[in-house]
Amino acid sequence: AQTVTQSQPEMSVQEAETVTLSCTYDTSESDYYLFWYKQPPSRQMILVIRQEAYKQQNATENRFSVNFQKAAKSFSLKISDSQLGDAAMYFCAFLSNYQLIWGAGTKLIIKP
Amino acid sequence: GAVVSQHPSWVICKSGTSVKIECRSLDFQATTMFWYRQFPKQSLMLMATSNEGSKATYEQGVEKDKFLINHASLTLSTLTVTSAHPEDSSFYICSARWDRGNNEQFFGPGTRLTVL
């Protein structure tokens, strides 16, 4: 069975600094999708970034980038130039058979 | 584009009553929608997969007679919590998978249910 592990329940970073959130997963599939979602206090789930496993190039969306290590089954999220609006829960998710398998989440705190 | 709405955004009901939550994909068709439950400070728990024109597929441990799902059109799925009890109080989130998309799910804003 596929599993997603986020080992950091909470992370804090100074505004304008860089922070990395970790995520590991377990699967026997070779082709799949990985996602990072943000859930702010409003609780609306917002897609941050997606990675297709067959693509070797790491996905990037403005200040957000991933370090995708397929062999190690690792999918970390790097947030550069952290802003107060980045404060939220961040969930790593693996897409399997059209269903998302979720990590436990990491609460990101931004210190002004 | 790719907006999903949920209604109501919050609801308070008495124990024993039924509550219906609607999930609509506003600008795209979604053969498949998903219903999640989220407890405070926890991740999303998939309750069921809703398929247009067919019966929903429930996850293990989810009572299908308690949580009725109807997906009558390509843009609407409903979740009815029947004979609600205080332990059903939770945050319910739906998502819709765009038929022509690339496996991405789009999420509704959620519904907070409080059962007194």
Side-chain angles (χ1 to χ4, degrees):
Chain A
Q2 287 89 352
T3 58
V4 177
T5 302
Q6 292 179 252
S7 59
Q8 306 154 317
E10 186 175 297
M11 292 284 284
S12 63
V13 62
Q14 204 72 35
E15 192 177 4
E17 298 292 309
T18 296
V19 64
T20 298
L21 308 184
S22 64
C23 173
T24 59
Y25 58 95
D26 190 22
T27 183
S28 58
E29 297 178 14
S30 59
D31 193 18
Y32 48 85
Y33 296 85
L34 292 161
F35 302 87
W36 277 98
Y37 282 92
K38 169 185 178 181
Q39 189 179 40
S42 68
R43 304 191 77 171
Q44 169 75 58
M45 297 294 287
I46 301 167
L47 177 64
V48 175
I49 200 165
R50 59 180 283 144
Q51 176 78 44
E52 295 159 2
Y54 69 87
K55 291 186 177 179
Q56 293 187 342
Q57 187 173 7
N58 290 324
T60 299
E61 288 288 341
N62 300 313
R63 298 182 295 107
F64 299 87
S65 62
V66 298
N67 183 1
F68 174 48
Q69 301 291 327
K70 190 173 183 179
K73 297 180 181 175
S74 171
F75 183 60
S76 62
L77 174 70
K78 185 173 80 171
I79 305 174
S80 304
D81 185 25
S82 297
Q83 300 176 0
L84 294 177
D86 295 334
M89 284 291 295
Y90 285 81
F91 294 97
C92 177
F94 173 98
L95 185 67
S96 172
N97 195 25
Y98 302 127
Q99 292 184 356
L100 288 169
I101 312 298
W102 298 88
T106 297
K107 182 179 181 180
L108 179 62
I109 298 169
I110 310 296
K111 299 178 181 178
Chain B
V3 177
V4 176
S5 69
Q6 264 183 259
H7 178 79
S9 55
W10 60 271
V11 57
I12 302 173
C13 69
K14 293 183 178 180
S15 184
T17 61
S18 295
V19 174
K20 179 185 286 188
I21 303 171
E22 293 186 349
C23 177
R24 293 182 185 271
S25 56
L26 298 185
D27 49 6
F28 65 99
Q29 292 185 335
T31 302
T32 304
M33 294 184 176
F34 302 88
W35 286 97
Y36 297 90
R37 185 172 180 176
Q38 186 179 33
F39 292 102
K41 299 183 180 181
Q42 292 190 23
S43 187
L44 278 67
M45 181 188 77
L46 179 65
M47 299 175 65
T49 301
S50 172
N51 301 295
E52 187 268 337
S54 64
K55 292 183 178 180
T57 303
Y58 290 82
E59 295 301 301
Q60 191 172 7
V62 178
E63 300 176 59
K64 61 181 181 180
D65 295 330
K66 172 78 169 173
F67 300 98
L68 299 179
I69 291 172
N70 183 277
H71 194 154
S73 78
L74 289 173
T75 58
L76 173 65
S77 176
T78 61
L79 169 68
T80 301
V81 183
T82 62
S83 186
H85 288 92
E87 57 265 30
D88 298 325
S89 298
S90 192
F91 192 69
Y92 293 88
I93 303 174
C94 74
S95 70
R97 177 176 162 268
W98 186 25
D99 288 353
R100 296 174 58 188
N102 50 6
N103 293 307
E104 184 177 342
Q105 292 183 23
F106 300 94
F107 287 82
T111 298
R112 179 177 300 281
L113 170 63
T114 301
V115 184
L116 301 177

